[in-house]
Amino acid sequence: LITMSSHHWLLAWLGLELNTLSILPLIIKAHHPRATEAATKYFLIQATAAALILFSSTLNAWQTGHWSITNPSSPAATTTITIAIMLKLGLAPIHAWYPEVIQGSTMNTALILSTWQKLAPLTLLYLMKNNLPNNLILTIGALSILIGGLVGLNQTQTRKIMAFSSIAHMGWLIIAVNMSLDIATMTLALYILFTTAMFTSFNITTTKTLMDLGVAWSQSPILLLTMLITLLSMGGLPPLTGFAPKWLILTSLCHTKLLMLSALITITSLPSLFFYIRMAYLTTLTTPPNTTNTQHKWRHKMSCPWILSPTMMMALLLLPLTPLMIT
Protein backbone atom coordinates (compact mmCIF):
# COMPACT_ATOMS: atom_id res chain seq x y z
CA LEU A 1 0.00 0.00 0.00
CA ILE A 2 2.93 2.36 0.74
CA THR A 3 4.32 1.58 -2.74
CA MET A 4 0.93 2.13 -4.40
CA SER A 5 0.27 5.49 -2.75
CA SER A 6 3.81 6.84 -3.04
CA HIS A 7 5.33 8.96 -5.81
CA HIS A 8 8.70 9.04 -4.03
CA TRP A 9 11.33 6.40 -4.82
CA LEU A 10 12.52 5.97 -1.22
CA LEU A 11 9.00 5.35 0.09
CA ALA A 12 8.33 2.96 -2.82
CA TRP A 13 11.51 1.04 -1.94
CA LEU A 14 10.46 0.92 1.73
CA GLY A 15 7.04 -0.48 0.74
CA LEU A 16 8.64 -3.18 -1.42
CA GLU A 17 10.97 -4.22 1.42
CA LEU A 18 8.11 -4.42 3.95
CA ASN A 19 6.13 -6.45 1.43
CA THR A 20 9.00 -8.93 0.94
CA LEU A 21 9.76 -9.38 4.64
CA SER A 22 6.08 -9.85 5.49
CA ILE A 23 5.51 -12.74 3.06
CA LEU A 24 8.59 -14.73 4.18
CA PRO A 25 6.96 -16.18 7.37
CA LEU A 26 4.01 -17.36 5.26
CA ILE A 27 6.31 -19.21 2.85
CA ILE A 28 8.41 -20.81 5.60
CA LYS A 29 5.39 -21.68 7.79
CA ALA A 30 5.19 -25.25 6.45
CA HIS A 31 8.46 -26.21 8.28
CA HIS A 32 9.62 -28.29 5.35
CA PRO A 33 13.02 -28.22 3.57
CA ARG A 34 11.31 -27.20 0.31
CA ALA A 35 9.58 -24.31 2.09
CA THR A 36 12.89 -23.16 3.60
CA GLU A 37 14.52 -23.32 0.18
CA ALA A 38 11.63 -21.38 -1.40
CA ALA A 39 11.78 -18.66 1.28
CA THR A 40 15.57 -18.30 0.87
CA LYS A 41 15.31 -18.04 -2.91
CA TYR A 42 12.45 -15.55 -2.66
CA PHE A 43 14.34 -13.38 -0.16
CA LEU A 44 17.57 -13.32 -2.23
CA ILE A 45 15.78 -12.45 -5.49
CA GLN A 46 13.54 -9.77 -3.98
CA ALA A 47 16.44 -8.24 -2.02
CA THR A 48 18.54 -8.09 -5.20
CA ALA A 49 15.72 -6.39 -7.11
CA ALA A 50 15.08 -3.92 -4.26
CA ALA A 51 18.82 -3.10 -4.08
CA LEU A 52 18.83 -2.43 -7.84
CA ILE A 53 15.81 -0.12 -7.46
CA LEU A 54 17.46 1.78 -4.58
CA PHE A 55 20.73 2.10 -6.50
CA SER A 56 19.00 3.30 -9.69
CA SER A 57 16.72 5.78 -7.90
CA THR A 58 19.73 7.22 -6.02
CA LEU A 59 21.60 7.53 -9.33
CA ASN A 60 18.55 9.20 -10.84
CA ALA A 61 18.26 11.66 -7.90
CA TRP A 62 21.96 12.49 -8.27
CA GLN A 63 21.56 13.22 -12.00
CA THR A 64 18.16 14.95 -12.04
CA GLY A 65 17.83 16.38 -8.52
CA HIS A 66 14.45 14.78 -7.70
CA TRP A 67 13.08 11.51 -6.24
CA SER A 68 9.74 11.59 -8.07
CA ILE A 69 8.68 8.37 -9.82
CA THR A 70 6.46 10.07 -12.43
CA ASN A 71 8.91 12.79 -13.60
CA PRO A 72 11.31 12.10 -16.49
CA SER A 73 14.34 10.09 -15.40
CA SER A 74 17.75 9.30 -16.86
CA PRO A 75 17.60 6.43 -19.41
CA ALA A 76 20.17 4.29 -17.53
CA ALA A 77 18.24 4.53 -14.24
CA THR A 78 14.89 3.84 -15.94
CA THR A 79 16.23 0.74 -17.74
CA THR A 80 17.82 -0.65 -14.55
CA ILE A 81 14.65 -0.09 -12.53
CA THR A 82 12.56 -1.74 -15.27
CA ILE A 83 14.82 -4.82 -15.22
CA ALA A 84 14.58 -4.92 -11.39
CA ILE A 85 10.77 -4.81 -11.58
CA MET A 86 10.81 -7.62 -14.18
CA LEU A 87 12.95 -9.64 -11.74
CA LYS A 88 10.39 -9.00 -8.97
CA LEU A 89 7.53 -10.08 -11.26
CA GLY A 90 9.35 -13.24 -12.39
CA LEU A 91 9.33 -12.42 -16.11
CA ALA A 92 11.55 -14.19 -18.67
CA PRO A 93 14.52 -14.42 -19.02
CA ILE A 94 14.92 -13.81 -15.24
CA HIS A 95 12.08 -16.14 -14.25
CA ALA A 96 13.83 -19.34 -13.05
CA TRP A 97 13.27 -18.60 -9.34
CA TYR A 98 9.50 -18.16 -9.66
CA PRO A 99 8.28 -21.75 -10.39
CA GLU A 100 10.63 -23.11 -7.68
CA VAL A 101 9.26 -20.73 -5.04
CA ILE A 102 5.65 -21.49 -6.04
CA GLN A 103 6.34 -25.25 -5.91
CA GLY A 104 7.90 -24.95 -2.43
CA SER A 105 4.90 -23.05 -1.00
CA THR A 106 1.44 -24.19 0.04
CA MET A 107 -1.47 -23.58 -2.35
CA ASN A 108 -2.71 -20.55 -0.40
CA THR A 109 0.75 -18.97 -0.19
CA ALA A 110 1.29 -19.67 -3.90
CA LEU A 111 -2.00 -17.85 -4.57
CA ILE A 112 -0.77 -14.78 -2.62
CA LEU A 113 2.59 -14.86 -4.44
CA SER A 114 0.82 -15.07 -7.81
CA THR A 115 -1.69 -12.27 -7.17
CA TRP A 116 -1.18 -9.77 -4.32
CA GLN A 117 2.64 -9.78 -4.59
CA LYS A 118 2.38 -8.60 -8.23
CA LEU A 119 0.52 -5.40 -7.36
CA ALA A 120 3.35 -3.27 -5.92
CA PRO A 121 5.86 -3.82 -8.80
CA LEU A 122 3.08 -3.31 -11.36
CA THR A 123 2.11 -0.03 -9.65
CA LEU A 124 5.66 1.22 -10.20
CA LEU A 125 5.38 0.27 -13.88
CA TYR A 126 2.10 2.19 -14.10
CA LEU A 127 3.69 5.29 -12.56
CA MET A 128 6.69 5.03 -14.92
CA LYS A 129 4.49 4.54 -18.00
CA ASN A 130 5.73 7.66 -19.85
CA ASN A 131 9.42 6.86 -19.28
CA LEU A 132 9.46 3.11 -19.92
CA PRO A 133 11.90 1.65 -22.52
CA ASN A 134 9.25 0.43 -24.98
CA ASN A 135 11.39 -2.00 -26.99
CA LEU A 136 12.68 -3.69 -23.83
CA ILE A 137 9.15 -4.05 -22.42
CA LEU A 138 7.73 -5.54 -25.65
CA THR A 139 10.70 -7.93 -26.03
CA ILE A 140 10.46 -9.19 -22.44
CA GLY A 141 6.66 -9.55 -22.80
CA ALA A 142 6.95 -11.65 -25.98
CA LEU A 143 9.75 -13.75 -24.48
CA SER A 144 7.71 -14.41 -21.32
CA ILE A 145 4.70 -15.58 -23.36
CA LEU A 146 6.97 -17.93 -25.35
CA ILE A 147 8.89 -19.38 -22.38
CA GLY A 148 5.80 -19.59 -20.13
CA GLY A 149 4.11 -21.72 -22.80
CA LEU A 150 7.00 -23.92 -23.92
CA VAL A 151 8.48 -24.77 -20.50
CA GLY A 152 4.99 -25.30 -19.05
CA LEU A 153 4.46 -28.15 -21.55
CA ASN A 154 6.94 -30.34 -19.67
CA GLN A 155 5.42 -29.95 -16.18
CA THR A 156 3.34 -32.43 -14.20
CA GLN A 157 2.96 -30.45 -10.94
CA THR A 158 -0.12 -28.21 -10.93
CA ARG A 159 1.67 -25.43 -9.01
CA LYS A 160 4.50 -25.31 -11.55
CA ILE A 161 1.99 -25.32 -14.41
CA MET A 162 0.24 -22.35 -12.76
CA ALA A 163 3.63 -20.64 -12.29
CA PHE A 164 4.49 -20.88 -16.00
CA SER A 165 0.93 -19.87 -16.84
CA SER A 166 1.49 -16.81 -14.62
CA ILE A 167 4.73 -15.95 -16.45
CA ALA A 168 2.87 -16.09 -19.80
CA HIS A 169 -0.01 -13.95 -18.44
CA MET A 170 2.47 -11.40 -17.07
CA GLY A 171 3.97 -11.19 -20.56
CA TRP A 172 0.56 -10.21 -21.97
CA LEU A 173 0.08 -7.80 -19.07
CA ILE A 174 3.29 -5.79 -19.51
CA ILE A 175 2.65 -5.52 -23.25
CA ALA A 176 -0.76 -4.10 -22.27
CA VAL A 177 0.93 -1.64 -19.84
CA ASN A 178 2.98 -0.41 -22.79
CA MET A 179 -0.14 0.07 -24.95
CA SER A 180 -2.98 1.23 -22.67
CA LEU A 181 -3.35 1.38 -18.88
CA ASP A 182 -7.12 0.74 -19.15
CA ILE A 183 -6.56 -2.56 -20.97
CA ALA A 184 -3.71 -3.42 -18.57
CA THR A 185 -5.94 -2.88 -15.52
CA MET A 186 -8.66 -5.09 -16.98
CA THR A 187 -6.08 -7.77 -17.87
CA LEU A 188 -4.68 -7.68 -14.32
CA ALA A 189 -8.14 -7.94 -12.73
CA LEU A 190 -9.05 -10.95 -14.90
CA TYR A 191 -5.65 -12.60 -14.28
CA ILE A 192 -6.23 -12.33 -10.51
CA LEU A 193 -9.74 -13.74 -11.01
CA PHE A 194 -8.51 -16.78 -13.00
CA THR A 195 -5.61 -17.48 -10.66
CA THR A 196 -7.79 -17.25 -7.55
CA ALA A 197 -10.37 -19.62 -9.08
CA MET A 198 -7.75 -22.19 -10.09
CA PHE A 199 -5.65 -22.20 -6.91
CA THR A 200 -8.79 -22.36 -4.73
CA SER A 201 -10.10 -25.31 -6.78
CA PHE A 202 -6.75 -27.14 -6.56
CA ASN A 203 -6.67 -26.51 -2.82
CA ILE A 204 -10.20 -27.84 -2.27
CA THR A 205 -9.65 -30.99 -4.33
CA THR A 206 -6.05 -31.43 -3.02
CA THR A 207 -4.80 -31.59 -6.61
CA LYS A 208 -1.01 -31.37 -6.58
CA THR A 209 -0.16 -33.28 -9.76
CA LEU A 210 -1.83 -34.02 -13.09
CA MET A 211 -2.42 -37.59 -11.84
CA ASP A 212 -4.55 -36.21 -9.00
CA LEU A 213 -6.88 -34.60 -11.54
CA GLY A 214 -7.97 -38.06 -12.66
CA VAL A 215 -9.60 -38.85 -9.32
CA ALA A 216 -10.84 -35.35 -8.43
CA TRP A 217 -14.19 -35.75 -10.21
CA SER A 218 -15.70 -37.94 -7.47
CA GLN A 219 -15.42 -35.15 -4.89
CA SER A 220 -17.43 -32.67 -6.93
CA PRO A 221 -18.18 -33.26 -10.61
CA ILE A 222 -19.63 -29.74 -11.01
CA LEU A 223 -16.55 -28.09 -9.49
CA LEU A 224 -14.28 -30.13 -11.74
CA LEU A 225 -16.30 -29.23 -14.84
CA THR A 226 -16.21 -25.48 -14.08
CA MET A 227 -12.49 -25.77 -13.27
CA LEU A 228 -11.80 -27.29 -16.68
CA ILE A 229 -13.81 -24.58 -18.46
CA THR A 230 -11.85 -21.98 -16.43
CA LEU A 231 -8.65 -23.52 -17.82
CA LEU A 232 -9.97 -22.97 -21.35
CA SER A 233 -10.88 -19.40 -20.38
CA MET A 234 -7.28 -18.84 -19.21
CA GLY A 235 -6.14 -20.05 -22.62
CA GLY A 236 -8.20 -17.26 -24.23
CA LEU A 237 -10.88 -19.28 -26.03
CA PRO A 238 -14.09 -17.40 -26.99
CA PRO A 239 -16.84 -17.06 -25.80
CA LEU A 240 -15.19 -17.21 -22.35
CA THR A 241 -13.93 -14.25 -20.28
CA GLY A 242 -10.23 -14.91 -21.04
CA PHE A 243 -10.76 -14.00 -24.70
CA ALA A 244 -11.43 -10.31 -23.85
CA PRO A 245 -7.94 -9.16 -22.70
CA LYS A 246 -6.13 -10.98 -25.51
CA TRP A 247 -8.55 -9.59 -28.08
CA LEU A 248 -8.13 -6.00 -26.81
CA ILE A 249 -4.32 -6.25 -26.57
CA LEU A 250 -4.03 -7.65 -30.11
CA THR A 251 -6.41 -4.96 -31.43
CA SER A 252 -4.32 -2.27 -29.74
CA LEU A 253 -1.09 -3.69 -31.20
CA CYS A 254 -2.63 -3.80 -34.69
CA HIS A 255 -3.76 -0.15 -34.37
CA THR A 256 -0.16 0.84 -33.61
CA LYS A 257 1.07 -1.14 -36.67
CA LEU A 258 2.89 -3.78 -34.57
CA LEU A 259 1.55 -6.59 -36.74
CA MET A 260 4.62 -8.85 -36.49
CA LEU A 261 4.57 -8.68 -32.69
CA SER A 262 0.83 -9.40 -32.51
CA ALA A 263 1.26 -12.42 -34.84
CA LEU A 264 4.24 -13.63 -32.77
CA ILE A 265 2.50 -13.47 -29.38
CA THR A 266 -0.63 -15.10 -30.84
CA ILE A 267 1.43 -18.06 -32.08
CA THR A 268 3.51 -18.30 -28.89
CA SER A 269 0.36 -18.40 -26.73
CA LEU A 270 -0.64 -21.70 -28.39
CA PRO A 271 1.61 -23.91 -26.17
CA SER A 272 -0.13 -22.44 -23.09
CA LEU A 273 -3.51 -23.28 -24.58
CA PHE A 274 -2.22 -26.80 -25.33
CA PHE A 275 -1.28 -27.58 -21.73
CA TYR A 276 -4.60 -26.18 -20.45
CA ILE A 277 -6.46 -28.46 -22.88
CA ARG A 278 -4.17 -31.37 -21.92
CA MET A 279 -5.18 -30.93 -18.25
CA ALA A 280 -8.84 -31.04 -19.27
CA TYR A 281 -8.23 -34.09 -21.47
CA LEU A 282 -6.37 -36.03 -18.76
CA THR A 283 -9.30 -35.50 -16.40
CA THR A 284 -12.02 -36.61 -18.81
CA LEU A 285 -9.87 -39.54 -19.97
CA THR A 286 -9.77 -41.09 -16.49
CA THR A 287 -13.29 -40.33 -15.23
CA PRO A 288 -15.22 -43.65 -15.31
CA PRO A 289 -13.36 -46.23 -13.14
CA ASN A 290 -14.19 -46.56 -9.43
CA THR A 291 -10.58 -47.08 -8.38
CA THR A 292 -9.33 -47.33 -4.81
CA ASN A 293 -7.84 -43.84 -5.12
CA THR A 294 -11.21 -42.43 -6.12
CA GLN A 295 -13.01 -44.17 -3.25
CA HIS A 296 -10.51 -42.88 -0.71
CA LYS A 297 -10.78 -39.32 -1.99
CA TRP A 298 -14.57 -39.53 -1.97
CA ARG A 299 -14.53 -40.19 1.78
CA HIS A 300 -12.95 -36.83 2.55
CA LYS A 301 -15.53 -34.13 3.19
CA MET A 302 -14.90 -31.18 0.91
CA SER A 303 -15.35 -27.66 2.30
CA CYS A 304 -16.11 -25.19 -0.48
CA PRO A 305 -15.64 -21.46 0.33
CA TRP A 306 -18.57 -19.25 -0.68
CA ILE A 307 -16.34 -16.96 -2.74
CA LEU A 308 -15.49 -19.75 -5.22
CA SER A 309 -18.85 -19.88 -7.03
CA PRO A 310 -19.02 -16.16 -8.00
CA THR A 311 -15.29 -16.22 -8.86
CA MET A 312 -15.79 -19.20 -11.20
CA MET A 313 -18.83 -17.62 -12.83
CA MET A 314 -16.97 -14.35 -13.45
CA ALA A 315 -13.98 -16.27 -14.83
CA LEU A 316 -16.30 -17.84 -17.41
CA LEU A 317 -19.10 -15.42 -18.32
CA LEU A 318 -17.81 -11.81 -18.34
CA LEU A 319 -17.08 -11.53 -22.08
CA PRO A 320 -20.35 -9.67 -22.92
CA LEU A 321 -19.41 -7.05 -20.28
CA THR A 322 -16.06 -6.21 -21.93
CA PRO A 323 -17.08 -2.63 -22.94
CA LEU A 324 -18.19 -1.97 -19.35
CA MET A 325 -14.94 -3.37 -17.89
CA ILE A 326 -12.68 -1.37 -20.20
CA THR A 327 -14.34 1.95 -19.27
Side-chain angles (χ1 to χ4, degrees):
L1 289 174
I2 291 173
T3 306
M4 289 179 202
S5 61
S6 167
H7 284 246
H8 192 287
W9 273 120
L10 272 181
L11 280 176
W13 171 79
L14 175 65
L16 290 171
E17 285 295 280
L18 284 172
N19 181 259
T20 300
L21 293 173
S22 301
I23 194 73
L24 289 175
L26 291 178
I27 301 173
I28 211 167
K29 181 173 174 282
H31 298 300
H32 188 274
R34 286 301 299 268
T36 309
E37 181 188 339
T40 308
K41 285 178 179 173
Y42 188 78
F43 171 73
L44 290 174
I45 292 294
Q46 298 296 317
T48 304
L52 274 174
I53 289 172
L54 185 60
F55 168 72
S56 305
S57 54
T58 308
L59 180 68
N60 181 60
W62 180 42
Q63 290 180 336
T64 61
H66 64 76
W67 288 89
S68 175
I69 298 174
T70 49
N71 287 350
S73 308
S74 66
T78 305
T79 304
T80 312
I81 289 171
T82 305
I83 291 170
I85 291 172
M86 299 305 153
L87 181 58
K88 272 191 168 291
L89 289 171
L91 283 157
I94 38 183
H95 66 284
W97 64 273
Y98 184 65
E100 297 300 323
V101 171
I102 294 290
Q103 180 62 29
S105 310
T106 62
M107 283 289 180
N108 289 332
T109 309
L111 171 60
I112 296 170
L113 289 171
S114 301
T115 53
W116 179 257
Q117 294 299 99
K118 306 282 190 191
L119 296 183
L122 282 168
T123 303
L124 293 180
L125 278 186
Y126 272 51
L127 293 172
M128 293 169 63
K129 165 103 172 44
N130 297 325
N131 308 317
L132 288 175
N134 294 337
N135 291 339
L136 179 66
I137 291 282
L138 294 175
T139 305
I140 288 177
L143 194 60
S144 297
I145 297 168
L146 176 64
I147 288 178
L150 288 179
V151 185
L153 287 174
N154 200 31
Q155 305 303 322
T156 56
Q157 302 283 332
T158 51
R159 275 170 292 189
K160 278 200 174 180
I161 288 173
M162 289 303 295
F164 285 108
S165 164
S166 174
I167 291 168
H169 275 97
M170 282 291 124
W172 282 94
L173 181 55
I174 64 158
I175 289 175
V177 168
N178 204 48
M179 308 307 297
S180 160
L181 292 185
D182 290 336
I183 296 174
T185 306
M186 190 195 81
T187 307
L188 175 61
L190 292 181
Y191 161 74
I192 290 173
L193 195 69
F194 299 144
T195 309
T196 304
M198 289 310 303
F199 271 116
T200 309
S201 303
F202 288 149
N203 198 26
I204 289 169
T205 56
T206 60
T207 302
K208 293 185 172 65
T209 65
L210 290 181
M211 294 292 287
D212 292 339
L213 275 173
V215 292
W217 68 275
S218 56
Q219 289 177 283
S220 176
I222 296 172
L223 172 61
L224 195 70
L225 180 64
T226 50
M227 187 167 82
L228 299 182
I229 301 173
T230 306
L231 282 169
L232 300 183
S233 183
M234 287 175 75
L237 287 183
L240 302 169
T241 307
F243 178 61
K246 288 184 169 60
W247 175 32
L248 292 168
I249 291 166
L250 290 172
T251 306
S252 184
L253 286 171
C254 291
H255 284 163
T256 49
K257 302 291 189 290
L258 292 168
L259 299 177
M260 282 297 290
L261 178 65
S262 52
L264 178 68
I265 64 174
T266 306
I267 293 166
T268 51
S269 65
L270 290 176
S272 296
L273 180 59
F274 175 79
F275 66 68
Y276 295 139
I277 291 175
R278 185 182 61 180
M279 288 174 79
Y281 176 67
L282 282 173
T283 307
T284 54
L285 190 70
T286 53
T287 295
N290 290 317
T291 60
T292 311
N293 293 354
T294 307
Q295 290 166 2
H296 282 312
K297 281 203 119 182
W298 179 74
R299 289 175 191 155
H300 293 293
K301 183 166 173 55
M302 191 180 70
S303 59
C304 196
W306 66 270
I307 196 70
L308 184 60
S309 298
T311 306
M312 282 285 199
M313 288 304 100
M314 287 191 288
L316 301 180
L317 303 174
L318 284 184
L319 185 63
L321 299 180
T322 303
L324 186 63
M325 289 191 290
I326 200 66
T327 52

